[in-house]
Amino acid sequence: SPPSPPSPPFSASTPASVASVAGSVLLDHFLADLLTSRSILKLGFGFGYDLSRMQRSYPNLRSVFAPTHALIDVKAVTLAAFPDKVKLSKAGLATVVASVLGMYVDKTEQCSDWQRRPLTSSQAAYAAADAHCLTVLFD
């Protein structure tokens, strides 16, 4: 008889607490692999704050946050590429994008409750737009 297909890691009968713990372990492994990978570029904008928040959120992964590999601070790269934009050294992403790319970035969701799950569709769109801006600036 043919071999049976592998069983999924979780099923409808998996207790929620087991699925939650297993999901947390999988996320921990993913974050550790991502942050320590030298082959995956990680783009950020003034990364210090984000890394400190991640360290507080994932204290068991504290060692993977420093040093991080292939980490690019797009703000620093942009300021180096456009030295005439020195006034942007204290500016946020929206101001840098407006000045360098001439585009508007809606920051309405920036101060929304990011701890609440699930994220709203507006928060997800905001996060995607922020990430896209970083790739455009970096390119």
Side-chain angles (χ1 to χ4, degrees), residues 55 61-68:
Q55 285 177 331
L61 297 178
R62 198 166 296 261
S63 64
V64 304
F65 292 105
T68 52

Side-chain angles (χ1 to χ4, degrees), residues 12-109:
S13 63
T14 303
S17 60
V18 172
S20 177
V21 169
S24 178
V25 169
L26 291 172
L27 178 60
D28 287 357
H29 285 292
F30 169 77
L31 287 173
D33 289 347
L34 173 70
L35 292 170
T36 58
S37 171
R38 295 179 186 276
S39 62
I40 300 172
L41 292 180
K42 278 78 68 182
L43 303 179
F45 191 86
F47 246 130
Y49 178 73
D50 293 332
L51 288 174
S52 69
R53 294 277 312 247
M54 288 179 75
Q55 285 177 331
R56 284 195 303 277
S57 295
Y58 299 96
N60 55 319
L61 297 178
R62 198 166 296 261
S63 64
V64 304
F65 292 105
T68 52
H69 303 286
L71 179 69
I72 298 170
D73 188 334
V74 175
K75 182 176 186 176
V77 171
T78 302
L79 293 173
F82 298 95
D84 58 316
K85 307 269 187 191
V86 170
K87 66 179 185 200
L88 297 177
S89 63
K90 296 196 186 311
L93 179 62
T95 303
V96 171
V97 167
S99 180
V100 174
L101 301 175
M103 297 168 53
Y104 170 74
V105 178
D106 182 359
K107 301 298 276 185
T108 304
E109 291 294 337

